[in-house]
């Protein structure tokens, strides 16, 4: 494998990992360009969007054929640790501290690293509990129910990955089940309606597309309008699915209670 081909592979893998980790498009482009510039060739161009990477490495002064890469991105989730790791590797490569082969090997490790499902579920439980307390749910019943809903939300993410469900359907189904169960449990344990609403709101937080919305605004301000608008629309669609899920869950709860 030639050195330039190895640099292209490094840029491709770095961009893929960063986009799949929900990094801003402009940040991914900068990282890819910095890696490509280590080749010493004159032409380095890169375009990234939320669903793909396109870049070219060429030099008109040589007779070597150009490298052009198109890579489709199918999945995205929040992995800020991976973004930081890729940034550190690219900085070390551009500074000459590591070779392209070493950078590629380290990028493969980053690509394969991910939190276990148990850690993700535990994180969701404490996240929901924390927001319940923050929103004023200083009630033992509310806190216990919030831990249960956090367990449901955390466990549902593994089902999404297994069945390849879209973000809209995943959020709609999960919020429907969670809101229905919270209303039902709240009825049987005599939990105040205010506490029920707080728990349901807190249960949304692991699914709320806050990172996508923030990155969409940042991409738009940076001039990456396609990526920015796409991320903002994605956030709006997920937010709508959350609202619809609560409405469906409440409708199901009212229907069940009318039979009791």
């Amino acid at each position: 494998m030639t050195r330039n081909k190895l640099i292209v592979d490094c840029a491709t893998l770095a961009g893929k990992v960063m986009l799949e980790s929900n990094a801003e498009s402009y940040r991914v482009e900068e990282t890819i360009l910095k890696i490509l510039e280590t080749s010493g060739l004159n032409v380095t161009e890169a375009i990234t969007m939320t669903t793909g990477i396109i870049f070219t490495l060429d030099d008109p002064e040589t007779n070597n054929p150009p490298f052009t890469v198109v890579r489709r991105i199918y999945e995205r989730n929040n992995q800020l640790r991976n973004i930081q790791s890729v940034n550190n590797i690219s900085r070390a490569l551009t500074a000459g501290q590591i070779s392209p082969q070493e950078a590629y090997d380290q990028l493969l490790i980053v690509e394969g690293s991910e939190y276990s499902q148990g850690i993700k579920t535990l994180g969701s439980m404490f996240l929901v509990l924390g927001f319940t307390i923050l929103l004023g749910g200083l009630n033992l019943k509310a806190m216990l129910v919030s831990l249960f809903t956090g367990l449901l939300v955390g466990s549902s993410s593994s089902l999404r990955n297994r069945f390849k469900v879209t973000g809209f359907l995943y959020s709609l189904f999960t919020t429907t089940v969670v809101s229905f169960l919270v209303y039902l449990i709240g009825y049987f344990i005599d939990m105040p309606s205010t506490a029920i609403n707080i728990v349901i709101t807190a249960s949304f937080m692991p699914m709320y597309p806050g990172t996508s919305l923030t990155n969409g605004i940042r991409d738009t301000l940076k001039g990456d309008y396609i990526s920015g608008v796409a991320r903002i629309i994605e956030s709006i669609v997920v937010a709508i699915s959350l609202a619809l899920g609560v409405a469906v869950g409440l409708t199901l709860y009212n229907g069940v209670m009318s039979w009791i």
Side-chain angles (χ1 to χ4, degrees), residues 88-89 92 98 101-111:
N88 292 336
I89 294 171
I98 58 176
Q101 183 63 59
E102 291 173 328
Y104 186 75
D105 293 339
Q106 292 180 23
L107 288 170
L108 286 176
I109 295 174
V110 174
E111 183 187 29

Side-chain angles (χ1 to χ4, degrees), residues 16 19 22 30-31 38 42-43 55 76 107 123 132 152 161 168 186 201 214 220 237 248:
K16 176 178 177 291
L19 275 184
N22 232 343
E30 290 178 355
T31 301
T38 61
N42 292 328
V43 179
F55 68 81
R76 295 186 303 279
L107 288 170
T132 299
L152 290 179
N161 297 332
F168 179 86
T201 302
T214 302
T220 302
V237 169
V248 174

Side-chain angles (χ1 to χ4, degrees), residues 109-131:
I109 295 174
V110 174
E111 183 187 29
S113 64
E114 189 173 356
Y115 294 109
S116 66
Q117 184 58 43
I119 294 296
K120 292 180 180 179
T121 302
L122 188 64
S124 294
M125 293 173 63
F126 282 104
L127 179 62
V128 175
L129 174 61
F131 271 102

Side-chain angles (χ1 to χ4, degrees), residues 117 120-121 152-162 170:
Q117 184 58 43
K120 292 180 180 179
T121 302
L152 290 179
V153 172
S155 301
S156 65
S157 62
S158 63
L159 297 177
R160 176 189 179 183
N161 297 332
R162 178 179 301 176
Y170 162 71

Side-chain angles (χ1 to χ4, degrees), residues 216-245:
I217 295 174
R218 295 183 67 177
D219 280 337
T220 302
L221 295 177
K222 284 283 187 176
D224 295 323
Y225 298 112
I226 295 178
S227 297
V229 173
R231 290 180 188 273
I232 292 173
I233 292 176
E234 178 187 19
S235 302
I236 293 174
V237 169
V238 174
I240 291 174
S241 69
L242 296 178
L244 286 176

Side-chain angles (χ1 to χ4, degrees), residues 194-215:
T194 303
I196 293 176
N197 295 332
I198 289 175
V199 172
I200 292 177
T201 302
S203 301
F204 293 168
M205 295 307 170
M207 296 177 288
Y208 187 78
T211 303
S212 296
L213 180 61
T214 302
N215 290 348

